[in-house]
Amino acid sequence: MNEENQLLESPSRIYRARWWMLLLSSLHFLHQNVGFNTWGPIAQSVKRAFDWEDTTIVFILNMGRVGSVLYMCIGSYVFDKAGMRDYHVSLKKPKCLFFIKRLITIGEFLNGCNGITAFVAPPVIADMWFPPGERITASAIMVLAAYLGEGLSSIIGPNVLEKPIYANDSILQNSTVTTESTTVINGEEILDGLMSYLYVQCGVSVVLFIMTVAYYPDKPSSAPSTSAGMSRLSYVESFRKLVRNKHLLLLVLVFGVMIGVYTSWVQVIDIVYNPIGVSQLSAGWIAFYTIIIGSILGFVIARFSDIFMKRLKPVLLAMFVLTIVTSLWTALIANGLLPYTNWQLYVSAIVSGAMINASFPLWYELICEMSFPIPGGIINGMSNFVFLVFANVFFALMYIPVHDHRWMTWTMFVCSVIGFVTLLLLPVKYIRTDIDMESKEVDDSHSNKADNIMMETCSQENVKNENE
């Protein structure tokens, strides 16, 4: 009890270097997701030019997920023990190397291993460097930077790579054009554009590697809040606490279903929407607008959550309602149950995706709140292991031998309904915020006592001077 009181009374300090950490970390996560989402948006070009099937694209994408799943188990532990600096530096080296080779599958696998930083690090960095009033906002900026990278890759790839041009001068616009017996005459140009795209990503990796070596400390000298300075559980103790806490397990499961299915969905949006005449470029713009609007909205909601603390659950529930309505709208349009128009598909798909994108940082923060004192790197690693499992399940469904994957538009609607009902019935505790608020009350109490003593001293001196 004495140790707890000392922690509550210990002074906290914030550093200006936190803004550098925020900037560099955000660039890391943005770049990582550009690489992670390289192949989905350019599926039609590489598929026609290299005679690939949809399953080939899915296999390459799935290798990134497999790398993340296999490395997530030990990576979260290594991240927690080795620190952010050593972890970033060690994983940036192989990423620089494999971007310049044509070992596509191995490169995607290694990029998936590196993806643990974008999954795990943002809430940890925010907790280590930022005070409670800035913590959710900082976490949101880093998480949304990662998904901004995914959005940028959705438009950069289709604009860098040429569309397939066929010997009969027909250009692929949608899946209604039969191309199996047609020869692509610009395959070399597509390959050159692809390699240029990968070389640029390699160059960015080198620059970020140099910036990280130059200055990227593990943590500040003093914690920015009381909870950040407290000791955390070991890896084994953390796992036991997670298994025994049914409410926390359920929260992690809901997070895994929602985020896992959506992150896979957005990577194959081109394949899913292609049967209704949506071109590769149009699908890329839908994904881009979804992520950009979701990022802006996510930042605004995160700032609101920082100002009005302990409101994460009602905010997430409200976002779930919008997601359910718009994902149902999208599924009805895609499957021909409602008349198809471009503006309806754009609005429904963008709003539903934006709601999910905006919820990412709130999920991370809510899990960290309920799991305290489990280390952030470990609990987020476990959470993301669950979401990657569901992401791989979604990709496994893509192997079903059908040419029309529009039926998968129903997955987001079903997952949203399940998530809403579960979160509605789930009791939520804000353990970390309660500790910091209690610490602030202690500090305010001490400050008031000091002010009272000062006022009494001044009054006594005034009385003494008057008597003299």
Side-chain angles (χ1 to χ4, degrees):
M1 186 65 181
N2 291 332
E3 181 181 355
E4 183 178 347
N5 289 336
Q6 289 175 2
L7 282 167
L8 291 175
E9 296 173 9
S10 62
S12 301
R13 183 180 176 186
I14 56 177
Y15 299 83
R16 285 181 293 180
R18 70 189 188 278
W19 302 115
W20 168 257
M21 296 297 296
L22 179 62
L23 172 63
L24 186 52
S25 298
S26 298
L27 291 175
H28 271 294
F29 307 145
L30 185 150
H31 177 246
Q32 194 277 332
N33 263 25
V34 168
F36 206 56
N37 193 42
T38 294
W39 302 101
I42 57 176
Q44 301 307 318
S45 292
V46 295
K47 190 170 66 174
R48 305 299 178 181
F50 306 143
D51 197 25
W52 288 358
E53 300 291 337
D54 287 341
T55 51
T56 307
I57 302 293
V58 173
F59 176 77
I60 294 173
L61 294 173
N62 208 31
M63 286 305 298
R65 300 294 187 193
V66 170
S68 296
V69 169
L70 294 179
Y71 201 71
M72 189 69 71
C73 302
I74 61 171
S76 57
Y77 176 79
V78 173
F79 177 84
D80 190 62
K81 294 298 181 183
M84 290 180 290
R85 176 185 172 85
D86 292 341
Y87 196 90
H88 271 301
V89 170
S90 64
L91 282 177
K92 219 58 178 177
K93 290 179 182 177
K95 188 174 180 182
C96 293
L97 293 175
F98 277 93
F99 258 130
I100 63 175
K101 296 181 180 291
R102 299 191 183 190
L103 304 176
I104 294 173
T105 303
I106 298 177
E108 190 71 11
F109 177 83
L110 288 176
N111 196 47
C113 294
N114 185 49
I116 185 178
T117 54
F119 296 144
V120 173
V124 178
I125 297 172
D127 186 51
M128 283 184 176
W129 286 91
F130 290 84
E134 300 174 355
R135 194 159 52 201
I136 300 179
T137 305
S139 180
I141 291 173
M142 289 181 281
V143 171
L144 296 173
Y147 291 100
L148 178 60
E150 194 167 324
L152 289 174
S153 63
S154 296
I155 60 168
I156 293 175
N159 282 282
V160 170
L161 269 67
E162 294 185 8
K163 294 180 180 179
I165 301 176
Y166 300 92
N168 60 359
D169 292 329
S170 65
I171 300 177
L172 179 67
Q173 296 293 338
N174 52 58
S175 64
T176 61
V177 178
T178 303
T179 59
E180 284 78 359
S181 61
T182 310
T183 302
V184 176
I185 62 176
N186 64 334
E188 286 298 320
E189 288 78 4
I190 292 176
L191 177 59
D192 291 341
L194 174 62
M195 294 311 299
S196 298
Y197 187 24
L198 297 181
Y199 285 139
V200 170
Q201 292 188 47
C202 174
V204 175
S205 285
V206 173
V207 172
L208 291 176
F209 173 75
I210 294 171
M211 294 171 67
T212 303
V213 172
Y215 184 73
Y216 198 86
D218 285 330
K219 59 183 179 180
S221 301
S222 300
S225 64
T226 301
S227 61
M230 286 182 166
S231 59
R232 304 298 175 96
L233 301 178
S234 67
Y235 193 87
V236 176
E237 291 172 333
S238 299
F239 183 75
R240 288 175 180 170
K241 181 178 175 64
L242 175 62
V243 172
R244 292 172 182 173
N245 191 332
K246 295 180 180 179
H247 293 155
L248 181 58
L249 267 177
L250 200 57
L251 183 67
V252 169
L253 185 63
V254 174
F255 166 83
V257 172
M258 282 297 302
I259 307 304
V261 171
Y262 174 73
T263 53
S264 295
W265 157 266
V266 78
Q267 285 189 298
V268 294
I269 191 174
D270 176 23
I271 297 173
V272 175
Y273 286 155
N274 194 262
I276 59 175
V278 178
S279 68
Q280 175 178 275
L281 187 59
S282 296
W285 279 111
I286 290 176
F288 176 74
Y289 286 133
T290 295
I291 293 170
I292 293 299
I293 295 173
S295 298
I296 296 172
L297 185 61
F299 174 80
V300 173
I301 293 174
R303 193 72 201 115
F304 171 85
S305 300
D306 262 333
I307 297 172
F308 302 97
M309 294 183 179
K310 303 173 69 171
R311 297 291 186 272
L312 293 176
K313 179 177 176 177
V315 171
L316 282 171
L317 287 173
M319 297 171 76
F320 260 126
V321 172
L322 286 174
T323 304
I324 291 171
V325 173
T326 51
S327 60
L328 175 61
W329 189 9
T330 303
L332 293 174
I333 295 170
N335 289 276
L337 300 176
L338 284 179
Y340 171 79
T341 56
N342 282 334
W343 76 266
Q344 287 194 72
L345 181 64
Y346 268 72
V347 172
S348 60
I350 288 171
V351 173
S352 62
M355 288 295 107
I356 299 174
N357 272 314
S359 71
F360 287 160
L362 303 186
W363 279 113
Y364 283 124
E365 288 299 318
L366 186 58
I367 290 173
C368 286
E369 287 284 350
M370 288 191 62
S371 65
F372 191 86
I374 297 177
I378 293 176
I379 185 61
N380 286 318
M382 293 176 178
S383 302
N384 284 286
F385 175 81
V386 175
F387 108 60
L388 287 169
V389 168
F390 281 101
N392 284 331
V393 169
F394 181 90
F395 274 140
L397 295 176
M398 297 291 291
Y399 284 98
I400 297 175
V402 295
H403 294 289
D404 191 337
H405 293 282
R406 285 182 294 173
W407 62 273
M408 301 198 76
T409 53
W410 291 104
T411 55
M412 289 311 306
F413 170 69
V414 174
C415 291
S416 300
V417 173
I418 294 174
F420 174 79
V421 175
T422 306
L423 185 60
L424 181 65
L425 301 176
L426 188 69
V428 172
K429 295 181 180 179
Y430 301 89
I431 302 173
R432 190 178 57 177
T433 299
D434 287 338
I435 292 173
D436 290 329
M437 292 178 70
E438 183 180 349
S439 175
K440 186 177 184 303
E441 290 176 1
V442 171
D443 291 340
D444 291 343
S445 176
H446 286 181
S447 177
N448 291 334
K449 288 180 180 178
D451 290 341
N452 292 334
I453 292 173
M454 182 67 71
M455 292 178 63
E456 290 177 3
T457 302
C458 291
S459 298
Q460 291 174 0
E461 289 180 355
N462 289 335
V463 170
K464 184 178 180 181
N465 291 334
E466 289 176 0
N467 292 334
E468 292 179 353

